Amino acid sequence: MNKFWIMLSHTYFTRLKSKSFIITSIILLVGVLLLGNMSNIINLFTSGDKEKKIAVIDETNGVFQPFQEQLKAVNKDIQLDKVQKSEDALQKNIKNGEFDGYMVLTLDSNQMPSAVYKAKTITDSSTINDVKQALQTVKTMMAATSLKLNSDKLALLNSPISFQKVSLGDNAKSEKELAQARGLVYILLFAIYFSVLFYANMVGMEVATEKSSRVMEILISSASPTKQMFAKIFGVALLGLTQMVVLLLVGYLLIKQNLQNMTGGFFEAFGFSSTPVSTILYAVIFFLLGYLLFATLAAFLGSLVSRIEDAQQMMLPMTFVVMIGFFIAMFGLNNPESGFVTVTSFIPFFTPMIMFMRVGMLDLPVWNGIAGIVILVLSIAVLGMIGARIYRGGVLLYGKSNSLKNIKKALQMSKNQ
């Protein structure tokens, strides 16, 4: 057992000090810092937006004044200037930076306002939508006047329909709670997806690196291949937990510091204002179990290759399986009670993400979450036993071995040991 802990600590500290891990951790920390200060960043950019100047050629003799008033109510940072210039002159003014764009206001066949907006580029959809909304309001007011509708009738005509969604289940989530759960689960699903792929591939690459450098020949003479495999798996798991603890700690401190600003809008939609403890707990459990499942698979796949270049190709099927599970989970965010989603959540290789999505989105009986955990634990145990046998023979395979057919050779060699 002493050799196991030596190999585990060697794997952990070697990866912990590696440049790739340090750079990745710094990038993730920067991402957490940006997310935690999102409100300040948004305010910084929005406060610095310059005023938009739009020239208007009014061919209606009456629409410009109400249009200008409505636009001020919609967006006070857009300035309209009524001009008596030709379009050629205005196009020169736009090139010189005097105006951001210009509009030609006319009346259509029904004597309702219409407009053509021209600018150097039409990528500023926010400004265009605000201008369009203000002109639409003016058209509605003119139409109401022509139909002899008073302000009360016009307000009644434009009032939105009352449509409420009420769940009849005793513990079913409300519409607001579902929206918050969907946002939080969406972010955590991405975290599980990338973490499982990153750390599981790290295990496979670690094994392939040792084989290509012939270090494996020395290791197997001092410790059993099974101990080596599980030492690498748990060493990288400890590395992943270290990284997650640091990121969660920084995230918690940022949220605590900026809690007063993390209300409404982005933060309310993504559920940061009321994060359920059970959802975070399920995220950690399914992350660890998902990692152990795919890391075991990656370890014996990595043992089948002799060159680092072949490792990624060998682990490509595993990557596709993780991606399929992720895409099903993304689909399930909009329909978590779908029969297809329910069935696939009990398939071991899909369980970490899909079952987590279901327990995060729905008020499922406790046995569903426990069943998913038990399925994963049993699958890890079975895959661990099979993987240990393949690993024991695979580490002795050298030469061109980048095919899954080598699993049979590895099993035969493990029997002869």
Side-chain angles (χ1 to χ4, degrees), residues 142-380:
M142 291 176 64
T145 302
S146 66
L147 295 173
K148 298 180 180 180
L149 297 177
N150 58 32
S151 58
D152 293 336
K153 291 179 180 179
L154 181 61
L156 179 63
L157 182 65
N158 292 327
S159 61
I161 186 173
S162 176
F163 188 87
Q164 297 180 346
K165 293 181 281 185
V166 179
S167 54
L168 297 177
D170 295 334
N171 299 316
K173 287 182 170 67
S174 65
E175 185 179 359
K176 182 179 179 181
E177 289 172 335
L178 271 176
Q180 290 183 343
R182 184 176 291 111
L184 183 63
V185 170
Y186 182 81
I187 290 176
L188 292 176
L189 271 176
F190 266 101
I192 293 173
Y193 170 66
F194 286 112
S195 298
V196 166
L197 267 185
F198 178 72
Y199 295 122
N201 274 282
M202 189 183 289
V203 173
M205 292 299 292
E206 180 84 9
V207 177
T209 302
E210 289 181 356
K211 280 192 68 178
S212 64
S213 62
R214 298 285 180 171
V215 173
M216 187 66 71
E217 296 176 3
I218 301 171
L219 289 174
I220 60 176
S221 63
S222 59
S224 68
T226 306
K227 284 184 180 180
Q228 291 177 42
M229 185 181 83
F230 286 106
K232 286 179 176 58
I233 290 172
F234 287 107
V236 175
L238 189 59
L239 186 74
L241 282 175
T242 303
Q243 194 173 54
M244 285 190 68
V245 167
V246 173
L247 293 175
L248 289 173
L249 183 61
V250 173
Y252 171 76
L253 293 175
L254 283 171
I255 291 173
K256 190 175 180 180
Q257 182 180 356
N258 300 316
L259 192 60
Q260 66 275 10
N261 298 324
M262 300 178 71
T263 56
F266 172 84
F267 298 102
E268 184 177 355
F270 280 87
F272 291 127
S273 56
S274 55
T275 304
V277 178
S278 60
T279 304
I280 301 296
L281 186 62
Y282 272 123
V284 174
I285 292 173
F286 282 114
F287 158 71
L288 287 174
L289 294 177
Y291 160 75
L292 290 173
L293 181 70
F294 286 104
T296 306
L297 183 60
F300 75 73
L301 288 177
S303 70
L304 297 174
V305 299
S306 303
R307 301 185 304 168
I308 301 174
E309 307 89 76
D310 298 330
Q312 288 294 340
Q313 182 181 346
M314 182 64 75
M315 290 186 285
L316 199 59
M318 182 192 77
T319 303
F320 284 140
V321 171
V322 178
M323 289 174 64
I324 291 169
F326 176 73
F327 291 139
I328 296 174
M330 287 291 104
F331 164 77
L333 284 174
N334 295 317
N335 190 9
E337 294 182 297
S338 166
F340 171 69
V341 173
T342 303
V343 171
T344 51
S345 68
F346 291 97
I347 299 175
F349 290 109
F350 300 149
T351 299
M353 284 176 283
I354 302 176
M355 184 61 78
F356 166 68
M357 180 276 299
R358 290 184 65 226
V359 297
M361 289 289 296
L362 304 171
D363 282 309
L364 298 175
V366 179
W367 69 264
N368 276 261
I370 295 174
I373 293 170
V374 170
I375 287 171
L376 281 174
V377 170
L378 292 175
S379 300
I380 292 167

Side-chain angles (χ1 to χ4, degrees), residues 106-114:
T106 56
L107 294 177
D108 60 18
S109 58
N110 297 317
Q111 298 301 302
M112 292 291 112
S114 64

